[in-house]
Amino acid sequence: MTAHGATEDEAAVRAANTALYDAFETGDIDLMTSVWLDESAGETATCVHPGWAPLHGTAQVLRSWSMIMANTAYIQFVLTDVSVSVSGDTAVVTCGENMLTGLPSTVADPTPGLAGGRAVATNVFRRTSTGWRLWVHHASPVLTSEESEA
Amino acid sequence: MTAHGATEDEAAVRAANTALYDAFETGDIDLMTSVWLDESAGETATCVHPGWAPLHGTAQVLRSWSMIMANTAYIQFVLTDVSVSVSGDTAVVTCGENMLTGLPSTVADPTPGLAGGRAVATNVFRRTSTGWRLWVHHASPVLTSEESEA
């Protein structure tokens, strides 16, 4: 693989990774569907939301995103420490998911403001004829702040 | 890929997955080292322990395992819902990690017994000339009990 090809791959993978969070932020299930593998090649999509057990299969995974997005009034991501490792037709991305979510409004407080949260994600992409598609998403809460704990 | 080859691949991946937990249970850093990619092919190993930020690179990952194993007097795993998806030279495994750990003994209670815990893991393996090696390990606590939450 040439350096040029590697750079192009990495840029395409980063764009695919960004599309996942764009889809979540905008509640766009069509974009979310286009992010994931359609499994026609035989792979089984896998998704672990923070604190959840794994979900398998594109249909089940997309149902979970529909439910989560329907229950999210507002969310905004700032991704940090985005790391990309491409090997052949597979790419592994890890990133910090720094979230800003809207708190539910109440009669007493109609403008309750925002809450922050932090998780880390591993996203595995597969090269397909229609570009890099998400094969695995695993997100989990970060309970320690030390990046260099080891 | 023939059905026969797929079955052989899946069996080899399952064995590689089991070796990860055998290494942890026995505190065998040599076995743990042989489980992970040595990165000579260019991939960067990634490891997310439950609640931790991601660690990158075999050296840093193995240091973390050495530290964790040195601080674990006793641990036993029962893996559940082991799912394997092989695509070309990459394999994705998800499994439930059901852990039994020894509680620290005290003067008041020299035989304090065992504690249980549960996590889920995504393990991504890469086919190499020396067999399937671990490229990505991401483990996270399970906060809900519903497998079919969505």
Side-chain angles (χ1 to χ4, degrees):
Chain A
M1 187 184 295
T2 65
H4 186 67
T7 303
E8 279 180 359
D9 279 348
E10 188 180 317
V13 169
R14 282 176 182 269
N17 192 62
T18 301
L20 168 65
Y21 298 97
D22 286 347
F24 191 0
E25 283 182 350
T26 58
D28 185 337
I29 192 66
D30 293 331
L31 179 56
M32 183 61 80
T33 303
S34 74
V35 165
W36 284 85
L37 271 178
D38 66 4
E39 299 185 356
S40 59
E43 296 95 348
T44 301
T46 295
C47 183
V48 181
H49 297 295
W52 289 37
L55 304 176
H56 295 289
T58 304
Q60 190 183 26
V61 168
L62 290 176
R63 271 200 304 275
S64 75
W65 282 110
S66 292
M67 194 185 79
I68 289 169
M69 295 193 297
N71 286 286
T72 304
Y74 176 82
I75 192 161
Q76 188 181 327
F77 286 93
V78 176
L79 302 183
T80 50
D81 304 312
V82 180
S83 161
V84 179
S85 173
V86 180
S87 179
D89 292 334
T90 309
V92 174
V93 178
T94 62
C95 56
E97 301 178 342
N98 302 276
M99 289 160 276
L100 208 58
T101 54
L103 294 170
S105 61
T106 62
V107 173
D109 188 355
T111 57
L114 300 165
R118 180 147 188 266
V120 293
T122 300
N123 297 319
V124 182
F125 293 87
R126 195 85 182 126
R127 190 199 307 269
T128 75
S129 58
T130 55
W132 292 91
R133 297 290 199 99
L134 190 55
W135 185 6
V136 177
H137 170 69
H138 189 146
S140 60
V142 182
L143 308 177
T144 63
S145 59
E146 308 90 306
E147 298 285 332
S148 55
E149 184 162 2
Chain B
M1 188 182 296
T2 65
H4 186 66
T7 304
E8 279 180 359
D9 279 348
E10 189 181 315
V13 168
R14 282 176 182 268
N17 192 62
T18 301
L20 167 65
Y21 298 96
D22 286 349
F24 191 179
E25 283 182 351
T26 58
D28 185 338
I29 192 66
D30 292 332
L31 179 56
M32 184 61 82
T33 302
S34 74
V35 166
W36 284 86
L37 271 178
D38 66 5
E39 300 184 356
S40 61
E43 296 94 347
T44 300
T46 295
C47 183
V48 181
H49 297 295
W52 289 38
L55 304 175
H56 295 289
T58 304
Q60 189 183 26
V61 168
L62 291 176
R63 271 200 303 277
S64 76
W65 282 110
S66 291
M67 194 186 78
I68 289 169
M69 295 192 298
N71 286 287
T72 304
Y74 175 83
I75 193 162
Q76 187 181 326
F77 286 92
V78 175
L79 302 183
T80 49
D81 304 312
V82 180
S83 161
V84 179
S85 174
V86 180
S87 179
D89 292 334
T90 310
V92 173
V93 178
T94 62
C95 56
E97 301 178 341
N98 301 276
M99 289 160 276
L100 209 57
T101 54
L103 294 171
S105 61
T106 61
V107 172
D109 187 356
T111 56
L114 301 164
R118 182 147 186 267
V120 294
T122 300
N123 298 319
V124 182
F125 293 87
R126 194 85 182 128
R127 190 200 307 270
T128 75
S129 58
T130 55
W132 292 92
R133 298 289 199 100
L134 191 55
W135 183 8
V136 178
H137 170 70
H138 189 146
S140 60
V142 182
L143 309 177
T144 63
S145 58
E146 307 90 306
E147 298 285 331
S148 55
E149 184 162 3

